């Protein structure tokens, strides 16, 4: 249960955000509802997320795996729930999305994808533990621009996941509405995220 009310004051700005969220996601996102208690924080977060969405040097599937591996290692069930739904909606392989919390035991991933998830987990540790060897392989495989974007995406997900976890936000039921046979109740949201 959330540690903060998810019913902030319904200012004009907040109502506009509600409308956009319902139109885009089918419901108002709990992180936005929580941040709505401080309009300056909400406004800054929305501007930041819109800017992040324009980053395009890193392959979308690699970006998704990095974000979800970071969220899984931090333990943000809201981020895993939303990430599952978002990436399935985008057409990502269900097995790759589902197996993120157990990626080391899964045979669904390429060596590059494994390096991305190892890097994301290492960056998400406290303190960060980034090994030179996989980082070097990533830099060689991705190039500098995509490597910087990967690093920034993991840092962004750390912000999201740590904030959502601290606010007590949990799964919002996005995964249950995936149009994937057998997706509800299985996979990342139920597997330690």
């Amino acid at each position: 249960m959330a540690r903060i009310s998810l019913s902030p004051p319904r200012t004009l700005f907040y109502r506009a955000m509600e409308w956009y969220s319902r139109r885009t996601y089918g419901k108002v996102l709990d992180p936005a509802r929580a941040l709505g208690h401080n309009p300056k924080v909400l406004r800054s977060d929305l501007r930041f997320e819109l800017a992040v969405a324009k980053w395009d040097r890193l392959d979308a599937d690699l970006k998704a795996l990095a974000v979800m591996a970071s969220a899984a290692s931090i333990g943000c069930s809201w981020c895993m729930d939303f990430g599952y739904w978002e990436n399935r909606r985008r057409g990502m392989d269900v097995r790759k999305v589902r197996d993120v919390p157990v990626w080391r035991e899964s045979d669904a991933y390429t060596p590059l994808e494994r390096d991305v998830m190892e890097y994301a987990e290492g960056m998400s540790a406290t303190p960060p533990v980034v090994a030179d060897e996989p980082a070097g392989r990533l830099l060689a495989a991705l190039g500098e621009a995509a490597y910087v974007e990967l690093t920034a995406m993991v840092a962004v997900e750390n912000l999201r996941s740590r904030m959502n976890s601290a606010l007590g936000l949990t799964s919002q039921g996005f995964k249950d509405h995936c149009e994937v046979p057998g997706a509800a109740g299985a996979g990342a949201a139920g597997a330690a995220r």
Side-chain angles (χ1 to χ4, degrees):
M1 174 160 242
R3 293 184 178 98
I4 186 168
S5 159
L6 297 180
S7 300
R10 299 199 69 242
T11 64
L12 180 61
F13 175 70
Y14 183 80
R15 289 193 314 265
M17 182 281 304
E18 282 181 314
W19 172 84
Y20 175 81
S21 186
R22 280 191 187 101
R23 189 177 129 244
T24 305
Y25 307 108
K27 58 178 93 176
V28 180
L29 303 181
D30 284 352
R33 293 169 67 196
L35 296 182
H37 289 284
N38 187 323
K40 289 180 182 177
V41 172
L42 176 60
R43 193 172 289 115
S44 296
D45 185 69
L46 293 175
R47 278 195 307 261
F48 180 65
E49 289 292 348
L50 288 171
V52 168
K54 294 177 183 175
W55 298 350
D56 62 359
R57 298 301 295 268
L58 181 63
D59 172 78
D61 284 355
L62 293 177
K63 189 180 300 191
L65 292 173
V67 165
M68 290 187 71
S70 177
S73 69
I74 291 167
C76 180
S77 65
W78 193 93
C79 296
M80 290 301 288
D81 176 48
F82 185 76
Y84 185 94
W85 173 81
E86 179 180 46
N87 291 304
R88 283 303 302 139
R89 186 174 82 162
R90 200 175 54 70
M92 193 170 171
D93 179 352
V94 67
R95 188 162 169 233
K96 287 187 179 195
V97 177
R98 183 192 64 223
D99 286 358
V100 167
V102 293
W103 67 267
R104 283 181 174 81
E105 292 82 38
S106 175
D107 63 358
Y109 304 106
T110 67
L112 176 58
E113 291 168 336
R114 289 178 179 287
D115 282 346
V116 163
M117 290 185 286
E118 180 180 352
Y119 186 75
E121 282 186 357
M123 268 190 69
S124 300
T126 303
V129 182
V130 176
D132 288 337
E133 190 175 321
R137 287 192 306 265
L138 284 170
L139 184 56
L142 301 174
E144 291 178 337
Y147 181 77
V148 167
E149 187 170 319
L150 168 63
T151 304
M153 281 310 306
V154 174
V156 167
E157 186 54 36
N158 269 258
L159 169 69
R160 295 171 181 150
S161 289
R162 291 177 189 279
M163 190 162 47
N164 290 343
S165 294
L167 291 171
L169 303 180
T170 58
S171 300
Q172 197 173 339
F174 279 97
K175 188 168 178 276
D176 296 337
H177 300 287
C178 264
E179 295 179 10
V180 180
R193 172 64 169 113

